[in-house]
């Protein structure tokens, strides 16, 4: 379940990345975060299959719920990191656009 959720998040962020021509929203960040999580869980699934065999294809309900919550928490953390980066970019743009009135010559006193 967590692999499926992270793959969907990767696809969403990748298509948004392709449509963002100005690179204003930095969709490369969630794309890389979710892609790396998907690859990690894919490799984990391969090793789990080699260890347990076909029983991984019939999980019980508790495992599905736990994997779902794990996937959702990773997506939430990735979105939080991405939003933090956007907020820092916003603050940096605001800082560079505000003139320094104390250091300007000829300012009215």
């Amino acid at each position: 379940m967590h692999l499926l959720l992270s793959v969907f998040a990767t696809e969403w962020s990748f298509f948004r990345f392709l449509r963002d021509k100005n690179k204003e929203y930095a969709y490369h960040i969630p794309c890389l975060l979710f892609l790396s999580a998907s690859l990690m869980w894919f490799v984990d699934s391969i090793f789990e299959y080699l260890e347990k065999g076909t029983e991984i294809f019939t999980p019980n309900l508790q495992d599905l719920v736990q994997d779902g919550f794990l996937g959702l928490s990773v997506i939430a953390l990735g979105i939080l990191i991405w939003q933090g980066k956007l907020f820092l970019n916003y603050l940096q743009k605001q800082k560079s656009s505000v003139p320094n009135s104390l250091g300007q010559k000829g300012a009215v006193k």
Side-chain angles (χ1 to χ4, degrees), residues 17-90:
F17 171 71
L18 292 178
R19 294 188 67 184
D20 188 21
K21 300 296 183 198
N22 297 332
K23 308 295 185 244
E24 181 179 356
Y25 295 107
Y27 282 111
H28 64 280
I29 293 172
C31 186
L32 291 175
L33 288 173
F34 299 141
L35 180 64
S36 60
S38 298
L39 289 174
M40 175 191 67
W41 281 325
F42 179 68
V43 171
D44 182 54
S45 297
I46 290 172
F47 280 102
E48 188 176 9
Y49 174 74
L50 293 175
E51 182 181 308
K52 294 183 180 179
T54 58
E55 75 181 53
I56 67 166
F57 297 117
T58 56
N60 59 17
L61 183 62
Q62 183 180 4
D63 289 340
L64 283 176
V65 170
Q66 287 177 351
D67 287 349
F69 282 132
L70 177 64
L72 290 175
S73 65
V74 166
I75 290 172
L77 181 63
I79 290 174
L80 184 68
I81 291 170
W82 172 53
Q83 292 294 319
K85 173 66 172 155
L86 289 179
F87 184 68
L88 289 176
N89 286 349
Y90 173 76

